[in-house]
Amino acid sequence: MNEIVYMDAAASFLKPKSVINAEMDFLCCHYANAGRGVCARVAWVDNMVRDVRRMVANFINAHESQVVFTANATDGLNRVVNIITRQPFYNKSFVCAVSDLDHHSARMPWHDLARRGQIAQVIKCDLDDNFDIKIDSIPRADVLVVTAMSNVLGVAQDVAAIVSAARKKNPNVIVVVDATQYVVHENIDVCAWNADFVVMSGHKIGADTGVGILYIRDSQNLEPDKFGGGMVARIDDKKWVLQDVPEKWEAGTLPLTQIRGLGVAVEELKKSRPDLRLIKYMYDELKKNPRIKILTGRDAAMLSFVIDGMHVLDFGSLVGANGICVRVGNMCASWIHRILGVDGTVRVSVGPWNTGVDADKFISVVNKIVK
Ligand SMILES: Cc1ncc(COP(=O)(O)O)c(C=O)c1O
């Protein structure tokens, strides 16, 4: 049906048929709002949301009361900032530690706070020669943002060890983990990580756009950041009683269709993760081309490179004209590009739909374009 070779899973996953079918079934046969009313359809939807939440909670080793549905990872990462800055323990002298592995979505909200004088400073964790976060020099901070896997380098960080080092410097450090890419390739155990917040995007794991996952460790006691329908049990002019967790975190109508798809996507991902032998194979083949400089390791979850004498945007257009989709540009991760000394890269990332035939087609197109 589709002649395109899509090797841009890290930008957005293609949707398994089962996800599409589940969403269709929901829209055609079960659709209603959740948590509003008592009719049979609402009950079906409430149960569905509960089931998916439970499934996601099991998937990351959380309790279902700690799993909040958001719009995407960016929404989750921005919400975390809004949540933290409205808690009684927050103050403007906070120091936030980030790293050059971060996506713009993970780090910009903190720079914005600093720029507006709402926190004292954004400082950086050092990276070692392999571009991993240096555990023995983790700085003391009030907030630590950890990118569990860079969307350019595709290497899993040792989050538990990083968090443990940070907590030795400050036992009260608030840890925010961006697991958007990590979750595609690795199992997550939020308890083992000892993190306060963990963020993911549904569309990167085969669900639809418009749904994300936010794990909030202390969901019970923290003040919510959003107010409105669905999250309040009783209200008068002066006071209110909020719903219990996790509903107190979910003001407004949820992305119900996408949540339905997310449950199926998680099941699919557990059955089949992207086959990284394809990345190794393409790595070995591209290594033979002297004009290609590979910036990622052979064991990475993605393959990023630059081409001697060719701009990555030109390369992207040329492979695109040959029916191949890969990502080119700065991947919304300017900082790591700066460290690598390049403006942009080509990034190849595979999903469960990719085969050796796709990899061979890519290699032959690259070798035709880059002689
Ligand atoms: C590591 C990482 N964090 C955050 C994001 C933002 O995800 P979204 O655009 O789904 O909000 C991305 C997207 O590429 C990412 O790779």
Side-chain angles (χ1 to χ4, degrees), residues 10-11 72-75 77 103 105-106 147 149-151 178 180-181 201 203-204 331 347:
N72 49 41
T74 303
D75 181 41
L77 289 158
H103 189 276
S105 296
T147 294
M149 177 182 283
S150 148
N151 64 325
D178 178 357
T180 309
Q181 297 291 342
S201 248
H203 74 98
K204 306 263 191 203
M331 323 292 156
R347 181 188 66 196

Side-chain angles (χ1 to χ4, degrees), residues 273-345:
R273 305 248 183 198
D275 183 353
L276 296 183
R277 286 173 306 179
L278 293 174
I279 294 288
K280 289 184 179 50
Y281 171 71
M282 289 186 277
Y283 177 100
D284 291 340
E285 291 301 308
L286 290 189
K287 265 266 169 216
K288 297 175 191 162
N289 189 322
R291 281 184 61 201
I292 289 180
K293 183 173 175 216
I294 301 179
L295 302 166
T296 41
R298 189 171 184 271
D299 292 330
M302 47 199 84
L303 175 60
S304 295
F305 61 91
V306 288
I307 309 109
D308 185 30
M310 188 184 290
H311 197 280
V312 292
L313 295 181
D314 294 331
F315 176 87
S317 307
L318 290 168
V319 288
N322 282 274
I324 292 173
C325 286
V326 293
R327 176 79 194 270
V328 294
N330 74 9
M331 323 292 156
C332 305
S334 302
W335 299 288
I336 194 66
H337 280 91
R338 200 153 300 139
I339 289 195
L340 293 167
V342 293
D343 296 335
T345 40

Side-chain angles (χ1 to χ4, degrees), residues 1-2 13-26 205-208 257 260-269 271-272 352-353:
M1 185 179 84
N2 191 344
F13 235 54
L14 296 184
K15 312 308 167 204
K17 262 269 152 32
S18 52
V19 169
I20 297 168
N21 289 341
E23 291 199 359
M24 286 251 288
D25 173 65
F26 173 64
I205 56 171
D208 208 344
T257 313
R260 176 73 189 104
L262 178 65
V264 180
V266 166
E267 287 303 306
E268 292 287 348
L269 188 68
K271 279 189 278 178
S272 76
W353 58 87

